Amino acid sequence: MLEEKNDNLQEADGKLEIETNDSTQDNAIDTSDAETTAENPVSTTETESENTVAPEDDHQDALDAITNSNAEESEDETLKERHDIPMQDYNTFAMDALVDELKKLINIDKVMSVKDHIEEIKKAFLLQYSHLLDEKRDEFNATNQDPNEEFEYHSPLKSKFDEYYNVFREKRNDHFKHLQTNLKTNLETRLAIVEELKELINPQENIKDTLKHFNDLRERWKNAGSIPKDKYNHVWNNYHFHVENFYDYLHLDREARDLDFKYNLDQKQKIIARVEALVEETDISKAFRELQDLHRIWKEDIGPVSKEHRDTIWNKFSELTKKIHDKREVLFESQRANEQQNLEVKKEIIGKIEVLATEKVNSHSQWLVQIQKVEELRNAFFAAGKVPSEVNEETWAAFKTAVRNFNAFKNSFYKDIKKDQNDNLNKKMALVAKAKELQESTDFGATTPIMKQIQEEWKQIGHVPKKYSDKIWKEFKDACNHYFDKLKEHKSEENVDEVAAFDNKKAYLDILRAFVLTGDHKTDLDAIKAHIEIWKGYGKVPFARRHIEGKFNKILDALFEKLSLSKKETEMMRFSNRIDSLSDSNDTRKLDNEKIFLMRKIEEVQNEIFQLENNIQFFTNTKNAKKENSIVLEVRKNIAIHKESLDVWKDKLKQLRNLGQE
């Protein structure tokens, strides 16, 4: 940027002399004044020269901004590199992205160069984590039934963040320890150099020795290291004051001094030329950082210029500094405008959440939609960017209040259904107890329908509290599976007998087909009944082969028809055989259905008889009815048929009921 410079003044032969021109008295040094000024150093704007005219007040803000930043970086050189790492808007990062960014930054060796970045990440992360913690606490308070249970929440992401931040903190503490041990020593060294500068003004010394001592002090000053930032301006002002005294009040080799003044002027003009270019730089932040470095070079590396140029060149430098500072302020104003826009966006988001906190919904599925809406608004809030610092806390508080009100509104709904869930839990626990009680039963005919009914009841019961759901379902499922596994095993054992029964019945069909009636009604009827008993004695057949029962019944129907039995006898024998088959199968459901069917048929026939009897009364009560006509006779015939049918249905029902009492 600027060519390197050897600031050592040219050594001159001869002794130090007081100037003999007309200005001797004006320029003669007053040691007491110099010491007084050193104790009460001049302001930053006066370091160029004690005669420099102070810049206007509007220049001072720009100069102060530069000076304060340089003072901070003078304490810790690693702070200079923070400008090379972009400062992002971490408020727009998700929590996992913030953790990833923290992990990346802690691996940078110069810990103080990322200090500001990490602190911004920390604020953004804790802001979101605080919000998440509030939500989890509200959920806990809404669902917890045990007053002695305390809220606890563990986030693996928070643990990872703490782990990385602790690494940064340890590195930062190590850095501070090392820095603090040097700052005090460096400060004492620089103050000692200033004291030696005071003593340089001695007309009795040889100028060659004085110049050598002066150059040695300047070299020691450059290498003295960092000092506390709160001492920076005071120490530098004293140092420059005495350097300028050395130049201005002592009669040096005029040619050597003028050469040094000229060189310093050239270097400062180069700085001004560079600042003039920076005024046109579009990257304002970059321009300001370089301006900051140029001020440091102007102040620390380049010596004074002749008095005739001091005010002019300094005023030019400060004027250009103000221009860049003004452009920086415009940038800040733009950023503040963006922050104001972000504030409006966040206010709108808060308003939408407040509306959702009043919209009543009546089902879990609808609440899931509402919760998703709030989650999207929450993410939009964090992604909206920074707001003006003076309203940041107020905006965050309003956001938290809106979300908390929504959660309270939501939780009131779930509190209402919590009682129902507890009732459901009690019902299901009762079914679990019943299933466990029956799981070892070997009375499969009686127990199986009960177990199936228990399962149907379970399906009809609603949700239970989530914390018990998996446990109670496992207990119920295990009990049911245990019973039905035993039933399956039992049926496997029964299948052997059923297959044998099928084989026997299949062979017996051939015997039955060959059976011939003798013609004696009683003998033949007894023989048929004996065949039925033999058939029943073989037992049940496999479910898939029950068609053989139909073949047997078909042969029986043919035999009954040949016997010329009454319709009622035939019907009752067929019914008896069918009921015996259902009874052997232990199918109580079919027996119950058969009973219901018979009762309905009886009711239908009775209603039909009642209707027919009403009709016949209409015809027999007429005055001209001398005798029953054909219609009346037909009705009476139908009544007789229905009464015969009614007797059969009643006998069937009686037989079925007697079966249930056995």
Side-chain angles (χ1 to χ4, degrees):
M1 181 169 58
L2 296 173
E3 63 183 59
E4 292 186 5
K5 173 184 179 295
N6 182 352
D7 272 340
N8 293 342
L9 291 174
Q10 298 295 321
E11 293 184 356
D13 293 333
K15 295 182 179 180
L16 191 65
E17 298 179 359
I18 302 298
E19 290 189 10
T20 57
N21 57 23
D22 294 339
S23 63
T24 299
Q25 295 301 320
D26 293 335
N27 293 330
I29 186 168
D30 185 334
T31 305
S32 61
D33 289 344
E35 291 177 352
T36 302
T37 307
E39 292 300 325
N40 300 283
V42 293
S43 67
T44 304
T45 57
E46 294 172 325
T47 57
E48 260 320 298
S49 168
E50 61 182 359
N51 297 320
T52 300
V53 177
E56 298 177 2
D57 291 341
D58 56 353
H59 288 199
Q60 192 61 45
D61 290 340
L63 296 173
D64 288 346
I66 296 289
T67 301
N68 292 337
S69 183
N70 281 341
E72 183 182 14
E73 292 177 5
S74 74
E75 183 177 75
D76 188 348
E77 291 289 329
T78 61
L79 289 174
K80 295 178 182 179
E81 299 186 18
R82 61 187 168 180
H83 303 304
D84 299 329
I85 303 171
M87 178 68 77
Q88 304 185 61
D89 187 358
Y90 295 114
N91 287 312
T92 63
F93 282 42
M95 291 176 66
D96 54 350
L98 289 170
V99 172
D100 291 340
E101 187 71 10
L102 177 60
K103 180 181 179 182
K104 181 176 71 175
L105 292 179
I106 63 172
N107 290 321
I108 295 176
D109 290 335
K110 296 183 178 180
V111 63
M112 296 305 289
S113 65
V114 295
K115 175 180 71 70
D116 294 341
H117 301 70
I118 289 178
E119 291 305 321
E120 288 298 316
I121 289 174
K122 178 184 177 183
K123 285 194 292 185
F125 182 88
L126 292 182
L127 197 66
Q128 295 192 51
Y129 183 72
S130 172
H131 174 72
L132 176 63
L133 206 59
D134 287 343
E135 287 189 334
K136 296 297 181 183
R137 184 180 289 104
D138 288 341
E139 290 177 7
F140 173 82
N141 292 334
T143 58
N144 182 45
Q145 301 296 315
D146 185 358
N148 296 320
E149 185 177 355
E150 294 184 358
F151 169 72
E152 290 184 3
Y153 177 69
H154 173 69
S155 168
L157 202 59
K158 177 64 163 58
S159 298
K160 189 64 67 175
F161 179 87
D162 291 341
E163 176 187 340
Y164 294 149
Y165 188 80
N166 286 337
V167 171
F168 160 73
R169 189 164 55 186
E170 289 176 5
K171 292 175 68 174
R172 182 190 61 188
N173 291 342
D174 290 343
H175 176 81
F176 277 141
K177 288 178 182 178
H178 177 74
L179 188 65
Q180 292 301 322
T181 57
N182 294 327
L183 289 177
K184 184 178 180 182
T185 301
N186 296 341
L187 176 61
E188 292 173 351
T189 299
R190 289 185 183 273
L191 291 175
I193 292 172
V194 170
E195 291 301 318
E196 288 189 54
L197 275 173
K198 290 182 185 180
E199 303 301 326
L200 274 183
I201 304 174
N202 186 349
Q204 305 304 318
E205 281 192 4
N206 183 288
I207 190 171
K208 183 176 181 180
D209 294 335
T210 302
L211 287 174
K212 183 177 180 182
H213 191 184
F214 177 73
N215 290 329
D216 178 60
L217 290 176
R218 296 180 70 185
E219 191 64 27
R220 284 165 56 196
W221 182 269
K222 288 181 180 180
N223 299 323
S226 301
I227 62 173
K229 61 184 178 182
D230 59 332
K231 305 294 184 183
Y232 174 78
N233 287 331
H234 176 80
V235 174
W236 276 109
N237 290 341
N238 281 336
Y239 172 73
H240 279 286
F241 174 80
H242 291 293
V243 167
E244 288 180 353
N245 274 345
F246 185 80
Y247 273 94
D248 293 339
Y249 293 99
L250 300 180
H251 179 68
L252 308 177
D253 183 318
R254 189 180 298 275
E255 182 179 356
R257 184 186 67 178
D258 290 345
L259 284 174
D260 199 61
F261 280 161
K262 182 180 178 182
Y263 183 84
N264 294 339
L265 178 63
D266 181 60
Q267 294 300 299
K268 291 186 175 182
Q269 286 173 337
K270 288 180 180 179
I271 287 179
I272 289 175
R274 178 55 189 159
V275 176
E276 288 175 335
L278 288 179
V279 171
E280 307 302 323
E281 172 65 54
T282 56
D283 188 340
I284 307 302
S285 297
K286 177 182 177 183
F288 187 81
R289 290 196 298 272
E290 186 172 341
L291 177 65
Q292 181 181 328
D293 290 336
L294 293 174
H295 267 265
R296 186 183 298 110
I297 293 170
W298 182 291
K299 185 174 183 179
E300 300 176 11
D301 295 345
I302 303 176
V305 299
S306 61
K307 285 186 177 181
E308 61 183 292
H309 296 296
R310 286 180 190 172
D311 291 347
T312 303
I313 198 168
W314 172 249
N315 290 338
K316 179 66 173 176
F317 188 37
S318 63
E319 178 66 30
L320 292 171
T321 296
K322 181 182 182 301
K323 289 182 179 181
I324 295 178
H325 179 267
D326 289 346
K327 292 182 70 174
R328 185 169 179 248
E329 285 299 306
V330 171
L331 175 63
F332 286 163
E333 283 298 325
S334 174
Q335 291 174 346
R336 284 190 282 270
N338 289 336
E339 290 176 356
Q340 188 63 38
Q341 290 179 356
N342 295 342
L343 175 61
E344 296 305 317
V345 170
K346 289 192 172 184
K347 283 182 177 179
E348 183 178 354
I349 291 172
I350 292 170
K352 290 180 178 179
I353 297 176
E354 289 173 341
V355 171
L356 289 174
T358 61
E359 292 181 354
K360 189 173 182 179
V361 294
N362 298 312
S363 71
H364 175 63
S365 60
Q366 290 177 324
W367 271 111
L368 290 178
V369 174
Q370 298 293 87
I371 291 169
Q372 179 62 31
K373 288 180 182 178
V374 171
E375 183 63 21
E376 290 172 358
L377 290 171
R378 173 183 174 276
N379 293 335
F381 181 89
F382 287 117
K386 293 182 178 179
V387 300
S389 58
E390 63 271 15
V391 295
N392 185 54
E393 290 298 326
E394 176 186 343
T395 306
W396 170 241
F399 173 69
K400 286 183 67 175
T401 300
V403 174
R404 184 175 288 111
N405 289 341
F406 171 81
N407 288 334
F409 190 52
K410 173 196 68 177
N411 292 339
S412 66
F413 167 79
Y414 286 103
K415 282 181 179 179
D416 291 338
I417 67 172
K418 189 68 178 177
K419 182 180 181 301
D420 294 337
Q421 290 188 348
N422 286 328
D423 291 342
N424 294 339
L425 175 63
N426 293 331
K427 292 177 182 177
K428 287 192 172 182
M429 288 176 66
L431 292 181
V432 169
K434 195 171 183 180
K436 287 183 175 181
E437 180 183 344
L438 295 173
Q439 67 180 352
E440 299 295 345
S441 174
T442 56
D443 186 0
F444 299 109
T447 305
T448 300
I450 298 175
M451 290 295 284
K452 290 182 178 179
Q453 180 62 31
I454 289 174
Q455 291 179 325
E456 287 300 317
E457 290 179 18
W458 182 280
K459 294 177 184 178
Q460 301 306 315
I461 300 174
H463 295 289
V464 302
K466 187 175 180 181
K467 63 189 295 187
Y468 302 110
S469 179
D470 293 342
K471 178 178 180 295
I472 195 171
W473 165 244
K474 184 177 184 305
E475 291 181 12
F476 182 71
K477 182 178 67 173
D478 289 347
C480 291
N481 288 347
H482 180 79
Y483 172 78
F484 284 105
D485 286 344
K486 288 183 64 177
L487 176 62
K488 184 177 180 181
E489 182 181 344
H490 173 71
K491 285 185 175 181
S492 297
E493 294 173 355
E494 285 186 336
N495 283 342
V496 176
D497 296 335
E498 291 177 357
V499 170
F502 174 78
D503 292 339
N504 290 333
K505 287 186 175 183
K506 184 178 180 183
Y508 196 74
L509 283 178
D510 294 335
I511 297 174
L512 196 57
R513 289 189 185 103
F515 173 71
V516 178
L517 295 174
T518 63
D520 181 70
H521 183 82
K522 185 176 184 306
T523 302
D524 290 338
L525 184 58
D526 290 340
I528 291 174
K529 289 181 177 180
H531 284 304
I532 292 174
E533 291 301 320
I534 293 172
W535 182 270
K536 288 166 61 177
Y538 288 135
K540 291 191 300 181
V541 300
F543 181 83
R545 300 183 181 184
R546 285 190 302 170
H547 61 276
I548 199 171
E549 301 292 341
K551 293 181 179 180
F552 175 70
N553 289 329
K554 190 174 183 180
I555 295 174
L556 285 182
D557 289 343
L559 291 173
F560 287 144
E561 188 174 347
K562 290 178 182 180
L563 275 177
S564 300
L565 292 174
S566 68
K567 184 177 181 181
K568 181 177 180 180
E569 288 178 317
T570 303
E571 192 71 27
M572 291 304 298
M573 289 191 70
R574 288 175 178 172
F575 179 74
S576 178
N577 184 54
R578 182 166 177 271
I579 294 303
D580 288 342
S581 177
L582 291 176
S583 179
D584 291 341
S585 67
N586 291 321
D587 195 337
T588 57
R589 183 176 59 84
K590 287 187 176 180
L591 288 172
D592 290 339
N593 289 341
E594 185 69 24
K595 186 182 296 183
I596 293 171
F597 170 75
L598 292 173
M599 294 171 68
R600 286 178 179 173
K601 291 301 292 184
I602 290 172
E603 184 179 2
E604 288 176 7
V605 174
Q606 286 176 334
N607 289 336
E608 187 67 25
I609 292 172
F610 178 76
Q611 184 64 42
L612 289 171
E613 288 177 341
N614 282 341
N615 292 342
I616 202 170
Q617 286 179 5
F618 173 77
F619 289 106
T620 58
N621 288 335
T622 59
K623 295 181 179 180
N624 297 325
K626 297 180 179 179
K627 62 177 181 178
E628 294 181 341
N629 58 29
S630 59
I631 297 177
V632 173
L633 293 175
E634 184 65 28
V635 171
R636 290 189 183 280
K637 182 180 178 181
N638 284 339
I639 290 174
I641 292 172
H642 279 82
K643 285 184 176 180
E644 183 180 350
S645 173
L646 180 61
D647 290 339
V648 173
W649 291 119
K650 286 182 176 180
D651 287 345
K652 287 182 178 180
L653 181 60
K654 181 178 180 181
Q655 182 178 341
L656 188 57
R657 284 174 171 168
N658 290 337
L659 180 67
Q661 294 174 358
E662 293 178 356

